[in-house]
Amino acid sequence: MTRFRDDSDSHPPMDYAGYKSTALRHPKQQLIALPHRLTEVSGPVFGDDRIGEFDNDLTQGPSGEAIGQRIIVHGHVKEDDGRPVPDTLIEIWQANAGGRYRHAVDQWPSPLDPNFTGAGRTITDKDGYFRFLTIKPGAYPWRNHPNAWRPAHIHFSLFGRAFTQRLVTQMYFPEDPLFFQDPMYNAIRDERAAKRMVSAFDYDATEDHWALAFRWDIVLRGEEATPTEEPHA
């Protein structure tokens, strides 16, 4: 039997004064729960045929290798009791090594890398395992408050069996000096929960003369749940 508890302290509030744009983004009325119908939970079903061979490798561009420090980001998607969550579509997006996104709105004057799109995807295996090869993203300035800089981070999107089943979160890197002034990190009131968004350096998974490695597990619910950007009741 599934039991539910109030875990709102483990997730950022939809309206947080320290993150100015939430005032414009958060719902102004109470959320309405809509039941999932058969067409919403039975399709599309994600499978290996929807993933290209190199979709989880962000380092290879149309004319060569991406610029920056290669890193392996890997881990498991789990339920609260440790059971693996297989066949989960994971998408990531991130800034390049200079802290710039390949997006028309991003005008931070750091060079764009023609061989780095900043997006990738994969599907968890039968053990709930995922792996990406990418470039460590750089920090970047933004206009949330004076001298505001976002720590290096990678955005994660997890889908269940359909597009209606989606969670969004982000992964940080250990010992980042910019945590103290990042409103997205500090919006999580439970300090232990906030630390669950920080990856761990994984020397054993590092590949000699090739790439450093960081391990980050994603727990979907329970007391050890990974904080997400979705509303939780």
Side-chain angles (χ1 to χ4, degrees), residues 162-184:
F163 285 111
T164 55
Q165 301 170 339
R166 185 189 186 206
L167 293 176
V168 177
T169 185
Q170 51 191 293
M171 184 202 88
Y172 295 92
F173 293 86
E175 301 180 1
D176 196 299
L178 294 172
F179 284 147
F180 78 98
Q181 56 90 75
D182 183 54
M184 298 185 195

Short mmCIF file of all heavy atoms in Angstrom, two decimals, residues 162-184:
data_model
loop_
_atom_site.label_atom_id
_atom_site.label_comp_id
_atom_site.label_asym_id
_atom_site.label_seq_id
_atom_site.Cartn_x
_atom_site.Cartn_y
_atom_site.Cartn_z
N ALA A 162 4.82 8.24 -19.86
CA ALA A 162 4.17 9.17 -20.78
C ALA A 162 4.65 10.57 -20.48
O ALA A 162 5.25 10.85 -19.44
CB ALA A 162 2.65 9.09 -20.62
N PHE A 163 4.38 11.51 -21.41
CA PHE A 163 4.81 12.89 -21.23
C PHE A 163 4.13 13.57 -20.06
O PHE A 163 4.60 14.58 -19.55
CB PHE A 163 4.55 13.69 -22.51
CG PHE A 163 5.53 13.39 -23.62
CD1 PHE A 163 5.13 12.73 -24.76
CD2 PHE A 163 6.86 13.75 -23.49
CE1 PHE A 163 6.03 12.46 -25.77
CE2 PHE A 163 7.77 13.47 -24.49
CZ PHE A 163 7.36 12.82 -25.64
N THR A 164 2.98 13.04 -19.62
CA THR A 164 2.28 13.63 -18.48
C THR A 164 2.95 13.29 -17.16
O THR A 164 2.61 13.87 -16.13
CB THR A 164 0.82 13.16 -18.43
OG1 THR A 164 0.81 11.72 -18.41
CG2 THR A 164 0.04 13.65 -19.64
N GLN A 165 3.87 12.35 -17.17
CA GLN A 165 4.57 11.93 -15.96
C GLN A 165 6.01 12.43 -16.05
O GLN A 165 6.89 11.75 -16.56
CB GLN A 165 4.54 10.40 -15.82
CG GLN A 165 3.12 9.84 -15.75
CD GLN A 165 3.11 8.33 -15.87
OE1 GLN A 165 4.05 7.72 -16.36
NE2 GLN A 165 2.03 7.72 -15.44
N ARG A 166 6.23 13.62 -15.51
CA ARG A 166 7.53 14.27 -15.68
C ARG A 166 7.97 14.96 -14.39
O ARG A 166 7.16 15.60 -13.72
CB ARG A 166 7.47 15.30 -16.80
CG ARG A 166 8.81 15.94 -17.13
CD ARG A 166 8.64 17.10 -18.09
NE ARG A 166 9.92 17.62 -18.53
CZ ARG A 166 10.11 18.88 -18.94
NH1 ARG A 166 9.08 19.72 -18.97
NH2 ARG A 166 11.29 19.29 -19.32
N LEU A 167 9.23 14.82 -14.07
CA LEU A 167 9.86 15.53 -12.96
C LEU A 167 11.06 16.29 -13.50
O LEU A 167 11.78 15.80 -14.37
CB LEU A 167 10.30 14.56 -11.86
CG LEU A 167 9.21 13.82 -11.10
CD1 LEU A 167 9.84 12.84 -10.11
CD2 LEU A 167 8.31 14.81 -10.35
N VAL A 168 11.29 17.48 -12.97
CA VAL A 168 12.42 18.31 -13.39
C VAL A 168 13.24 18.67 -12.15
O VAL A 168 12.68 19.07 -11.12
CB VAL A 168 11.95 19.59 -14.09
CG1 VAL A 168 13.14 20.47 -14.46
CG2 VAL A 168 11.14 19.25 -15.34
N THR A 169 14.55 18.53 -12.25
CA THR A 169 15.43 18.88 -11.14
C THR A 169 16.77 19.33 -11.72
O THR A 169 16.91 19.48 -12.94
CB THR A 169 15.60 17.69 -10.17
OG1 THR A 169 16.37 18.10 -9.04
CG2 THR A 169 16.26 16.50 -10.84
N GLN A 170 17.75 19.55 -10.86
CA GLN A 170 19.07 19.89 -11.36
C GLN A 170 20.14 19.36 -10.42
O GLN A 170 19.91 19.19 -9.22
CB GLN A 170 19.23 21.40 -11.56
CG GLN A 170 18.86 22.27 -10.40
CD GLN A 170 18.80 23.73 -10.82
OE1 GLN A 170 19.82 24.34 -11.15
NE2 GLN A 170 17.62 24.31 -10.82
N MET A 171 21.28 19.07 -11.00
CA MET A 171 22.42 18.51 -10.28
C MET A 171 23.53 19.54 -10.16
O MET A 171 23.87 20.21 -11.14
CB MET A 171 22.95 17.28 -11.04
CG MET A 171 24.07 16.54 -10.34
SD MET A 171 25.06 15.53 -11.50
CE MET A 171 26.28 16.75 -12.03
N TYR A 172 24.08 19.67 -8.95
CA TYR A 172 25.21 20.57 -8.72
C TYR A 172 26.49 19.75 -8.53
O TYR A 172 26.46 18.52 -8.45
CB TYR A 172 24.96 21.41 -7.47
CG TYR A 172 23.80 22.37 -7.57
CD1 TYR A 172 22.52 22.00 -7.17
CD2 TYR A 172 23.99 23.67 -8.05
CE1 TYR A 172 21.46 22.89 -7.25
CE2 TYR A 172 22.93 24.56 -8.13
CZ TYR A 172 21.67 24.17 -7.73
OH TYR A 172 20.62 25.05 -7.82
N PHE A 173 27.61 20.47 -8.42
CA PHE A 173 28.90 19.83 -8.22
C PHE A 173 29.42 20.11 -6.81
O PHE A 173 29.12 21.15 -6.24
CB PHE A 173 29.89 20.33 -9.28
CG PHE A 173 29.54 19.90 -10.67
CD1 PHE A 173 28.65 20.63 -11.45
CD2 PHE A 173 30.06 18.72 -11.20
CE1 PHE A 173 28.29 20.21 -12.72
CE2 PHE A 173 29.73 18.30 -12.47
CZ PHE A 173 28.83 19.04 -13.23
N PRO A 174 30.18 19.17 -6.25
CA PRO A 174 30.59 19.31 -4.85
C PRO A 174 31.47 20.53 -4.60
O PRO A 174 32.27 20.92 -5.46
CB PRO A 174 31.34 18.00 -4.57
CG PRO A 174 31.71 17.46 -5.91
CD PRO A 174 30.65 17.92 -6.86
N GLU A 175 31.28 21.12 -3.40
CA GLU A 175 32.11 22.22 -2.90
C GLU A 175 32.12 23.44 -3.82
O GLU A 175 33.13 24.15 -3.92
CB GLU A 175 33.55 21.72 -2.65
CG GLU A 175 33.63 20.58 -1.65
CD GLU A 175 35.03 20.09 -1.41
OE1 GLU A 175 35.97 20.64 -2.02
OE2 GLU A 175 35.20 19.15 -0.62
N ASP A 176 31.01 23.70 -4.46
CA ASP A 176 30.92 24.89 -5.30
C ASP A 176 30.88 26.13 -4.42
O ASP A 176 30.08 26.21 -3.48
CB ASP A 176 29.67 24.83 -6.18
CG ASP A 176 29.73 25.82 -7.32
OD1 ASP A 176 29.82 27.04 -7.05
OD2 ASP A 176 29.70 25.41 -8.49
N PRO A 177 31.70 27.15 -4.69
CA PRO A 177 31.74 28.34 -3.83
C PRO A 177 30.54 29.26 -3.99
O PRO A 177 30.39 30.23 -3.23
CB PRO A 177 33.02 29.05 -4.27
CG PRO A 177 33.21 28.65 -5.70
CD PRO A 177 32.72 27.23 -5.77
N LEU A 178 29.65 28.97 -4.96
CA LEU A 178 28.53 29.87 -5.23
C LEU A 178 27.21 29.40 -4.61
O LEU A 178 26.18 30.05 -4.80
CB LEU A 178 28.35 30.04 -6.74
CG LEU A 178 29.50 30.76 -7.46
CD1 LEU A 178 29.31 30.69 -8.97
CD2 LEU A 178 29.61 32.21 -7.00
N PHE A 179 27.22 28.32 -3.85
CA PHE A 179 25.99 27.85 -3.23
C PHE A 179 25.34 28.91 -2.35
O PHE A 179 24.12 29.02 -2.29
CB PHE A 179 26.25 26.61 -2.37
CG PHE A 179 26.46 25.34 -3.14
CD1 PHE A 179 27.33 24.36 -2.67
CD2 PHE A 179 25.80 25.10 -4.32
CE1 PHE A 179 27.52 23.18 -3.36
CE2 PHE A 179 25.98 23.93 -5.03
CZ PHE A 179 26.85 22.96 -4.55
N PHE A 180 26.15 29.70 -1.67
CA PHE A 180 25.63 30.60 -0.64
C PHE A 180 24.65 31.64 -1.19
O PHE A 180 23.82 32.16 -0.45
CB PHE A 180 26.80 31.31 0.06
CG PHE A 180 27.39 32.46 -0.72
CD1 PHE A 180 27.02 33.77 -0.47
CD2 PHE A 180 28.32 32.21 -1.73
CE1 PHE A 180 27.56 34.82 -1.20
CE2 PHE A 180 28.87 33.26 -2.46
CZ PHE A 180 28.49 34.57 -2.20
N GLN A 181 24.73 31.96 -2.47
CA GLN A 181 23.87 33.01 -3.01
C GLN A 181 23.01 32.53 -4.18
O GLN A 181 22.50 33.34 -4.94
CB GLN A 181 24.71 34.22 -3.41
CG GLN A 181 25.84 33.96 -4.39
CD GLN A 181 25.44 34.10 -5.83
OE1 GLN A 181 25.27 35.21 -6.33
NE2 GLN A 181 25.28 32.99 -6.51
N ASP A 182 22.83 31.22 -4.27
CA ASP A 182 21.99 30.68 -5.34
C ASP A 182 20.58 30.45 -4.82
O ASP A 182 20.36 29.55 -4.00
CB ASP A 182 22.58 29.37 -5.87
CG ASP A 182 21.76 28.83 -7.03
OD1 ASP A 182 21.55 29.58 -8.00
OD2 ASP A 182 21.32 27.67 -6.96
N PRO A 183 19.59 31.22 -5.27
CA PRO A 183 18.24 31.09 -4.70
C PRO A 183 17.57 29.76 -5.01
O PRO A 183 16.72 29.30 -4.24
CB PRO A 183 17.47 32.26 -5.33
CG PRO A 183 18.21 32.57 -6.58
CD PRO A 183 19.64 32.28 -6.28
N MET A 184 17.93 29.11 -6.11
CA MET A 184 17.30 27.83 -6.42
C MET A 184 17.75 26.76 -5.43
O MET A 184 16.96 25.93 -5.00
CB MET A 184 17.63 27.43 -7.86
CG MET A 184 17.09 28.41 -8.88
SD MET A 184 17.36 27.86 -10.57
CE MET A 184 17.03 29.38 -11.44
#
